[in-house]
Each structure stands twice: as C-alpha cells, then as structure tokens.
Amino acid sequence: MKIPFLDLKAQYQNIKAEVDSAIQQVLDSASFVLGKSVLDFETSFAVAQSVKHCVGLSSGTDANHLSFHLLDVAAGDEVVVPANTFIATAWGATLCGAKPVFVDCSADSFNLDPAKVEAALTPKTKAIVAVHLYGQPADLDALKEIASKHNIYLVEDAAQAHLAEYKGRKVAGTGRTAAFSFYPGKNLGAYGEAGALMTNDNEIARKARMFRDQGQSEKYHHDSYGHNYRMEAIQGAVLGVKLKYLPQWTEQRRAVAAKYRQLLGNLEQVSLPKEMPYAKHVYHLFVIRARRRDDLKAFLEQKGIGTGLHYPIPLHLQKAFEHLGCRKGDFPVAEKAADEILSLPMYPELTDQQIEYVCDSIREFYRQ
Ligand SMILES: Cc1ncc(COP(=O)(O)O)c(C=O)c1O
C-alpha cells in the first residue's frame, strides 16, 4: 500500500467543482490581486477565528515580518523565539534587524516552556512569540502574564493552528498580532503561497493594509515604507471555498489522531503527542517520538509510507544563526526531540485501513 505523507490530490478531487468554479470567476473578472475574493475570505476567516481583523498577505513568512515591523521591532531589539519551530518564525525578528533569542520547549507539548522564558529576557526584549506548533496552542495565559509583567508584546505564530483553541477560545486573539500561513500543505492551504496577519487592533490592521500594498493610502500616494505583500485573488478564492470545509476537516484530523492513539497506545518504543488539558489540538502534524527513529523512518519508507521530520535541526544549531553563538547542549529538550520525532501521515482523507497499515507497519518494525 502507498500512503503519502500528505495527499493534496485527494482533497482537491472532493471539492474540485467548487474550486474550479471559484477560480474561473477570478479568471473571468481578470482581477488577479486582492479584490473581492480576498476581501470575502478575510471577512470569513476573521469570523472563524473570532478576531476583529484579517489582512490577507503573500505568505506566512511575510505575516511574521509584518507582525514585528508594525510593533516597531527594530535593530537593537530582541525577540524570544522557541528553539524548535520552522525558521520563518525567527525570520520575523531578523527581517526587522532584531535578534531572535531562543528558548527551550517543554517536553510535554513541544511548545515554548513558560518557565524558561523569564531567564531569557533582557532590557532589549521587545516581544515573545508563541508558536502553536503542530497545531497545539502554546500556553497563552502563562506567556501573556510574563509579557504583561515585563511590558513587552506577546505575538502569535499560528501558521500551523487554524481553528485551534486555548481554554475554549480560538488562537490568534490573545497576542497583539497573529501570523497565519496558507501554504498548500497547511490545514487551510491555498493553491500557491498565501498568509494573513490577524489583530484586534484597528491601527495595526490599517497599517498592515497599507504596508502590504507599497505603503499606499490611495493609488500612488505612499504614506509609509511598504512592500508588495498582497494576496493573489486566486488564493483568496480557493481559501474561501476551503474555509467552509475546515471545521469538518479539523474534526477528521482529530479522528485520525484518535485512531493513531488507539492503535499505538500500548507500544512502549513510541510515545504519542500529548494533548494539553487547555488545548484543542488541530493536528496539523501528528508527531510521535520513536526509538531508533531513523531506522523506523527508513523501514516505513520501504513499506510505501511517507513520513516527515519537523524539524531535524533546532534553530540555534542552524548555520544561518551561527553568528548568535549558541552551542549544542544549550536547549536540551529541543535537541532531544529533534533526534526522536517522526511525523506520521496526517490529513482528513486518511482512511481507517490506511491508518491501520501505518500502525501495523510500526509494530512490525519493533518486532524485528
Ligand atoms: C510555524 C511556521 N511559521 C511560519 C511559517 C511560514 O509560512 P509560509 O511558508 O507561508 O511563508 C510556517 C510555514 O511552514 C510555519 O510552519
């Protein structure tokens, strides 16, 4: 049996007629950048996330950059970033000229460990980034309390956490800003690059709309420094169609996770991701920790099962951040996780039979 790590073709086949028609409408309108499809999507996604403003952008990386730029993060400032996230979280600070300061994660949740944050704060710290890694919300209340106590910003990177909930409320409304990615493989994925900045702050939203469009307040009136971070109309149209299915897809992801738990629960060589009591996890990724991880990965590959590593090298050990002077051993929890984690296939369309095949294959490996 062949089970890809991600199967975007299956999803497209299920919604083909609607997506094709939405794209066709954009082609017929010959209006390819921003416009009605983007505006409609922004309005619907803001409602879905219970946040006042959604500003459609060209990627999640751009959303992270804009988050910090609009909070006046600049050269000389420091931003607390988890050591185990996708590198674009840290680019947000870097692109503003600021320094990312890495902090270790908690072994339970893989998210930023609030108990370790205060030791990393200095008079230069301007913000803390709560990344909701793999689709599980970070401990927002604990991080918010630290940010308020030290009078710095809490910012969310929700690139992997569409519709995830913290203590019954959706992510993206607690931080001053929140960045989303709609990269195709995300829980809500475009058919190309796309992202969004969300905020409850009217002024930040106004500035974000200007910044994404060359700093224009009206055509050829450039009131501020800006960039071309506009969302394409086709992406807005695709996202608008897919958003309607997102609650259902999220429940399907949760059902896939439950099935994995049921079938792998008593396997001592594997530990399953913990769903924190405060979290509604949306399982962008289902990440186990496995003994002899690399051999298991190769074995599953042979069996036709695709897996992933998110992420194999923590940020403090990346060449791009060599100049920050971190060393192996600085963030032991993140480093240990990087050696043990394995992301299993995870998408709403996975069938019970496919999940059983993945789990049987894992068991077969450990019987050898
Ligand atoms: C946690 C996190 N932040 C930021 C990004 C960047 O998003 P994009 O790929 O849309 O630029 C991603 C995407 O992979 C991500 O997973």
Side-chain angles (χ1 to χ4, degrees):
M1 197 185 288
K2 269 236 161 302
I3 306 181
F5 175 63
L6 182 65
D7 188 359
L8 293 177
K9 285 183 189 161
Q11 190 191 62
Y12 174 57
Q13 286 314 316
N14 289 337
I15 52 172
K16 185 174 176 356
E18 268 184 278
V19 167
D20 289 1
S21 147
I23 292 176
Q24 189 60 52
Q25 279 178 38
V26 174
L27 299 182
D28 290 340
S29 76
S31 170
F32 296 108
V33 179
L34 296 177
K36 182 174 176 347
S37 65
V38 172
L39 194 59
D40 288 350
F41 169 68
E42 289 173 337
T43 308
S44 309
F45 195 55
V47 171
Q49 289 292 152
S50 304
V51 179
K52 203 163 167 192
H53 303 282
C54 170
V55 181
L57 302 173
S58 36
S59 74
T61 304
D62 300 339
N64 268 323
H65 174 211
L66 207 42
S67 260
F68 295 107
H69 173 73
L70 296 178
L71 296 175
D72 293 324
V73 171
D77 293 334
E78 295 178 356
V79 173
V80 169
V81 172
N84 62 321
T85 175
F86 183 59
I87 200 158
T89 306
W91 292 151
T94 310
L95 286 165
C96 293
K99 176 182 163 189
V101 172
F102 301 117
V103 169
D104 213 348
C105 62
S106 124
D108 274 354
S109 66
F110 294 112
N111 275 323
L112 198 55
D113 186 345
K116 294 178 187 144
V117 169
E118 277 190 297
L121 303 181
T122 75
K124 295 178 179 171
T125 311
K126 197 92 180 250
I128 301 169
V129 194
V131 180
H132 309 306
L133 199 69
Y134 309 149
Q136 167 143 264
D139 191 351
L140 283 167
D141 282 353
L143 295 171
K144 178 88 181 170
E145 195 180 313
I146 297 168
S148 304
K149 180 173 155 199
H150 294 272
N151 204 19
I152 56 181
Y153 297 114
L154 178 68
V155 165
E156 295 176 64
D157 180 338
Q160 304 186 0
H162 317 75
L163 301 190
E165 291 176 21
Y166 177 83
K167 295 185 182 171
R169 57 183 204 265
K170 298 267 166 35
V171 297
T174 303
R176 182 61 70 94
T177 55
F180 278 89
S181 165
F182 306 116
Y183 186 73
K186 294 289 193 278
N187 289 22
L188 179 60
Y191 286 176
E193 304 281 356
L197 184 85
M198 301 197 82
T199 183
N200 285 311
D201 184 311
N202 297 343
E203 192 52 16
I204 290 178
R206 186 188 67 80
K207 286 183 177 167
R209 288 181 191 286
M210 267 186 14
F211 186 96
R212 75 173 169 184
D213 197 14
Q214 312 285 5
Q216 293 184 113
S217 53
E218 57 184 294
K219 203 169 169 84
Y220 302 133
H221 291 248
H222 306 273
D223 295 3
S224 68
Y225 161 62
H227 208 294
N228 176 359
Y229 279 176
R230 297 177 296 236
M231 185 187 276
E232 294 179 346
I234 284 179
Q235 307 313 337
V238 170
L239 290 168
V241 170
K242 286 181 143 199
L243 180 56
K244 290 185 279 178
Y245 294 93
L246 189 60
Q248 171 194 327
W249 289 339
T250 302
E251 292 315 313
Q252 285 171 262
R253 284 177 182 274
R254 289 178 55 77
V256 171
K259 184 87 184 163
Y260 274 135
R261 286 186 193 287
Q262 181 200 329
L263 297 179
L264 294 174
N266 58 359
L267 192 58
E268 59 162 325
Q269 295 91 339
V270 159
S271 43
L272 300 174
K274 190 166 176 198
E275 187 157 338
M276 303 306 283
Y278 48 71
K280 181 175 178 185
H281 197 318
V282 294
Y283 294 100
H284 172 54
L285 296 168
F286 191 85
V287 180
I288 61 169
R289 288 171 181 254
R291 274 192 224 157
R292 293 164 51 215
R293 189 269 317 272
D294 292 341
D295 292 342
L296 172 62
K297 187 174 189 340
F299 180 82
L300 294 176
E301 208 74 56
Q302 256 179 30
K303 290 258 168 193
I305 300 167
T307 57
L309 298 181
H310 302 87
Y311 298 89
I313 307 172
L315 295 191
H316 65 291
L317 301 178
Q318 293 285 354
K319 226 171 164 178
F321 290 127
E322 221 168 42
H323 61 284
L324 298 177
C326 297
R327 300 223 179 94
K328 202 164 169 57
D330 282 355
F331 304 109
V333 182
E335 289 172 28
K336 188 162 186 292
D339 292 340
E340 297 176 350
I341 46 172
L342 186 67
S343 308
L344 301 183
M346 168 52 83
Y347 34 96
E349 298 77 13
L350 270 180
T351 63
D352 279 359
Q353 202 194 0
Q354 288 174 311
I355 301 166
E356 280 156 19
Y357 179 69
V358 174
C359 297
D360 287 347
S361 302
I362 294 173
R363 286 180 177 279
E364 188 186 333
F365 171 75
Y366 286 116
R367 276 199 301 271
Q368 289 174 345

